[in-house]
Amino acid sequence: MSTGSINFFSCPHFEQYNDTPSSKKYIKAAIPRVLVTMDEAYEKFKGIITVKEFENLIKEKIENVGGLLTREGAIAIIAAEHGIDLGIKEERERIKIKELQEGMNNISIVGRVKKIYPVKEFENGRVGNIIIDDETGEIRVALWNDRTKILEKLKVGTIIEIKHGYIKKGFRDALDLNIGNRGVVEISNISLDLPEIEENIMKIGEIHEELRDISVAGRVKSISDVREFEKIDGGTGKVGSIILADDTGETRVSFWNEKTDTLNNIKKNDILLLENVYTKEGFNGHEVHVGWQTSIQINPENIDLPEIKEEFVKIAYVKEGTANVQGTVKEVLGVKTFEKIDGGTGKVGSIILADDTGEIRTVVWNEKADVLENISSGILLKIGNARAKEGMEGLEIHVNRDTELSVDISYEKKIKNLEKGEIEIVGRISKIEDNGFFLIDESGEVFVETNEKYNRGDLVKVSGEFGDNIIAKEIEKLEIPFPTLEELKTPKRGRIGDTGMVIARGVVKSKIEGEECCKIVIDDGIEEMEGIVFGSPESGEEYLFKCMVDDSKFTCYDFQKIDILREAHIILERVGENG
């Protein structure tokens, strides 16, 4: 009988540790202590392989690892490959996280689950990741294919025991503990003396390069469009970004591929909690990146941050760096295309922006330059999170994909755009109820709760609290110019040059998107008129606009696209009926 230490027992990856200095160093670091009975060792292999094959396999296994494997260890490996039980009693010594090093194999370790990531599906399998810790440190554990099933039973704080794991470098060369086909993960009753797990949300001002698995929270300051790009492997990817801010600073956050879908549900000033993000150096400092493992919470109940109040700087006081400015377009200098370094096509346009303190050249890049095609002098622009820097002719404002560029369209508050809270609104009483009345204006109707009595058609100013309805606090009857109740309910068909409430027909010649509405120019075949529309009609299409026309401008709250083919069909039918 002989005994000995057996290396690489049950290891599916021992072949990768060949005769190299690093493999020799760490092979011994993961050797379990075992007691093996070797009497008549070949007896277990009779009928499966010949004696000669048995001896050749032993020699091959020992040579594969540079002679670091004992004969007994080689026999144990051969037995495992052929499904033969040698009756080996294993007494494995657990290792601590701080002792783990690249190249270690056949690892047994106990740890507490600290984080759990979503499972990632790919063409040839799947992988799920967790972070475990013990009293010496923490490490990422990658569970491959069928080993991901254990994740259904795990939660943060669960103590687990891992057997037959191996160490490789993973993301950004950090050590990962991998659990492959022969690895085992079990929930353990072993207790670990560890402090409670606390969700550590990092302040944006504390972010630096090369962090991973961190959590950040902040308010959305601006949102950029999603763009597609070509990957190195020839596939197509997507990326979109936001600017996230807290009380210590702000940072750009990039959302990659499927995570860009989240941007459809995010609004400016929303609070975001991003868990399991990583950082890297970008063009304008440290950036946060949202990958497939990131958890995203929108407006979580346990986080409260002050709303972002935009402070616009007068043009004369703009300094290099991030800038928020607003002003009137004094001159549009045009848009041109250019070839990028990567062979693609870019756009750049510029305008002269002015306010009461001065003027500044504003350069608008790529997709943002499309806005300039419909802008003319006199338009008021709001520019948030732009970059001010020295140009050929002095300080310039540069608008890029992270910049919020919007047309500042002012309008009078009407029923359709009432916001919850204290309000004041003017309209006519369209219908009387026992506990109030319906109020109508050019944009729509709303119910007003009141015990005071009025007549149908009365013109009133209502002050009160608006929620689903208006709870009136004060009502005042008015005698001012205002459309009649009949005009409000059934506007006359007319031209865009008529005044009052009309339904006008016209083609959208141009459109400038604003924050809540857009400014358009319509053409009815005789003349053109500029106005504000709540909604987004398509340029080049013909519509019926229900609008209020005053001082050669209109405000429209309702419109309907005209089906030219259907109208032509109706006309032909009528012609046919009349012979």
Side-chain angles (χ1 to χ4, degrees), residues 122-355:
F122 49 93
E123 186 176 354
N124 298 317
R126 59 186 181 275
V127 63
N129 290 300
I130 60 176
I131 301 293
I132 65 169
D133 67 349
D134 65 14
E135 60 271 25
T136 69
E138 65 180 41
I139 191 169
R140 180 190 294 263
V141 180
L143 299 104
W144 296 92
N145 301 318
D146 288 344
R147 297 300 178 264
T148 59
K149 293 178 181 178
I150 189 67
L151 294 175
E152 299 172 4
K153 302 177 182 179
L154 300 184
K155 60 183 181 180
V156 173
T158 301
I159 305 296
I160 60 173
E161 183 171 7
I162 295 171
K163 300 175 183 177
H164 309 311
Y166 60 97
I167 298 292
K168 289 177 64 177
K169 281 189 176 181
F171 181 74
R172 304 208 173 194
D173 287 335
L175 295 182
D176 286 349
L177 174 55
N178 289 262
I179 312 301
N181 293 335
R182 296 192 181 183
V184 177
V185 180
E186 298 173 333
I187 295 176
S188 174
N189 292 323
I190 297 173
S191 62
L192 296 176
D193 185 16
L194 296 171
E196 285 189 18
I197 297 172
E198 296 182 2
E199 182 59 51
N200 186 19
I201 300 175
M202 183 172 281
K203 291 288 189 179
I204 289 175
E206 299 170 349
I207 289 173
H208 54 87
E209 190 181 0
E210 304 299 327
L211 294 172
R212 72 169 186 167
D213 299 326
I214 65 168
S215 297
V216 295
R219 282 199 182 268
V220 178
K221 189 173 180 182
S222 65
I223 305 171
S224 297
D225 295 333
V226 175
R227 62 183 178 87
E228 291 190 348
F229 61 91
E230 187 175 334
K231 297 180 180 179
I232 297 175
D233 61 7
T236 301
K238 294 191 296 183
V239 63
S241 62
I242 64 171
I243 299 298
L244 197 69
D246 66 8
D247 55 349
T248 66
E250 61 184 50
T251 185
R252 183 170 178 234
V253 181
S254 295
F255 292 69
W256 295 94
N257 300 315
E258 66 272 12
K259 290 298 183 180
T260 58
D261 296 338
T262 308
L263 295 176
N264 297 325
N265 303 318
I266 294 173
K267 305 185 299 296
K268 184 178 175 182
N269 247 319
D270 277 346
I271 295 176
L272 292 190
L273 172 59
L274 306 174
E275 299 174 289
N276 306 326
V277 295
Y278 62 95
T279 67
K280 59 191 297 188
E281 186 70 14
F283 289 112
N284 298 314
H286 308 308
E287 298 178 350
V288 173
H289 291 260
V290 172
W292 64 270
Q293 296 184 107
T294 302
S295 170
I296 303 169
Q297 295 183 49
I298 303 174
N299 296 319
E301 293 182 359
N302 60 332
I303 297 179
D304 187 24
L305 292 169
E307 287 201 12
I308 297 171
K309 295 181 179 179
E310 290 181 319
E311 296 183 0
F312 290 92
V313 178
K314 291 289 188 179
I315 288 174
Y317 304 109
V318 171
K319 297 179 181 180
E320 284 196 78
T322 302
N324 298 324
V325 296
Q326 59 182 349
T328 302
V329 177
K330 184 177 180 181
E331 185 180 359
V332 180
L333 302 176
V335 178
K336 62 180 180 181
T337 59
F338 61 91
E339 186 175 336
K340 297 181 180 179
I341 297 174
D342 61 6
T345 301
K347 281 185 180 181
V348 61
S350 57
I351 59 173
I352 301 299
L353 195 69
D355 66 11

Side-chain angles (χ1 to χ4, degrees), residues 352-368:
I352 301 299
L353 195 69
D355 66 11
D356 56 350
T357 67
E359 59 186 50
I360 192 168
R361 184 170 183 262
T362 302
V363 182
V364 187
W365 294 93
N366 297 315
E367 65 274 6
K368 297 288 184 180

Side-chain angles (χ1 to χ4, degrees), residues 435-437 447-452 468-473 475:
N435 60 335
F437 55 79
F447 186 73
V448 178
E449 297 180 26
T450 181
N451 293 322
E452 298 183 34
D468 294 328
N469 301 317
I470 297 175
I471 301 174
K473 294 181 179 179
I475 300 175

